[in-house]
Amino acid sequence: MEDKTVIKAPIDVVVNIFDDSSEISLAISSTFINLHLNANEEFILFKRSYKEEPCQFRSIMSFLSSSHDNDDLRPVSPDLAVPYLSGSSIFHRIIGPCNGLVALTDAINILLFNPATRHFRLLKPSPFGSPLGFCRSINGFAFGFDLIANDHKIVRLAEVHGEPPFYCYTIREWRVEVYELSINTWREADVMDERLPRCVIDIEIDLIEVWVTREYGVNETWCKKYIITPLSIESPLAVWKDHLLLLQSGSGLLISYDLNSDEVKEFNLHGWPRSLRATVYKENMTSIPRGSEHITRVC
């Protein structure tokens, strides 16, 4: 995205821009970045997968928005193929955004992605393994910014349990893995700070409940906001414009539910069942620091 505004401010951030033949480093002030970060317009990052071979899938991302007078979704730029993530799995996650960055992950790899600049960075894998006779599975994932450390961090909640034939529910341990972007390092933490989201969507067999909190981090302020009658859905994806609940149907179709009018709408956006993911983001110029791993820009 090109910006013609001239900003007179101290230059303190370098953003790397890549093309097919060269790398250009642009010195950009923090004021310029904050202008993008505080922009009001929001977009939807929408990921889906298609089956190409019996055990291989191709994943793509779409960038969507809607006009002010209706809620119809439309593409705002060409689709992108998702690099590095496993082609044998559709169970990818999109976590964020945080300062305009999102994290994408499968069972092994983690990518950082800026939808505005189209930059990806493949992060170094977690070095933590399991003792002989045990295996480690990832049961939780978070991505955020530590204001005290002034750094983006990725947190994974891992369960270490016995492998067959010695598996026992009572033999298991919980580990917290923390990745710090600025130093490109993983570490294990003893405890994880409990930070509750502002909205939780709870799916029951015959209904959906939407809970919100009036005061961030205070459990006693949670209240049930909406109860949605049965829909043929697989899972919720995101909340758009504060009143549209985006969901994926059991057949792999993107649908919306209007919390104000109870209207259900289907969009011509689909993928392999259970492969749909979505998040709402604002464009900004936050750079992804270069590490020892591969970083690329996709067009």
Side-chain angles (χ1 to χ4, degrees), residues 18-19 23 33 43 46 93 127-128 149-150 171 177 181-182 188-189 195 199 223 226 240-241 260 279-280 289 296:
F18 301 85
D19 58 26
E23 173 184 338
I33 291 177
F43 302 92
F46 176 59
R93 300 180 184 180
F128 305 112
N150 193 34
I171 306 177
E177 305 172 2
L181 180 61
S182 63
E188 278 193 325
R195 301 294 293 172
C199 174
C223 65
Y226 303 102
W240 175 242
K241 293 184 176 180
N260 296 330
T279 191
V280 178
T296 187

Side-chain angles (χ1 to χ4, degrees), residues 9-23:
I11 295 175
D12 52 13
V13 176
V14 173
V15 177
N16 294 316
I17 298 180
F18 301 85
D19 58 26
D20 293 336
S21 58
S22 63
E23 173 184 338

Side-chain angles (χ1 to χ4, degrees), residues 251-264:
S251 61
L253 188 68
L254 180 65
I255 62 177
S256 69
Y257 178 87
D258 193 316
L259 296 171
N260 296 330
S261 66
D262 293 330
E263 179 186 5
V264 177

Side-chain angles (χ1 to χ4, degrees), residues 175-190:
R175 307 286 177 82
V176 177
E177 305 172 2
V178 180
Y179 172 82
E180 300 177 56
L181 180 61
S182 63
I183 59 177
N184 194 30
T185 300
W186 285 93
R187 60 180 173 84
E188 278 193 325
D190 295 330

Side-chain angles (χ1 to χ4, degrees), residues 129-141:
S130 304
L132 183 63
F134 289 81
C135 64
R136 178 182 293 237
S137 59
I138 304 301
N139 290 0
F141 193 96

Side-chain angles (χ1 to χ4, degrees), residues 52-63:
E52 292 189 319
E53 298 179 14
C55 296
Q56 286 292 316
F57 295 86
R58 177 174 61 92
S59 295
I60 65 170
M61 286 191 298
S62 301
F63 306 87

Side-chain angles (χ1 to χ4, degrees), residues 2 9 34 44 131 172 212 235 273 288 298:
E2 185 179 1
N34 289 334
I44 298 172
R172 63 178 182 176
V212 297
S235 64
I288 303 176
V298 289

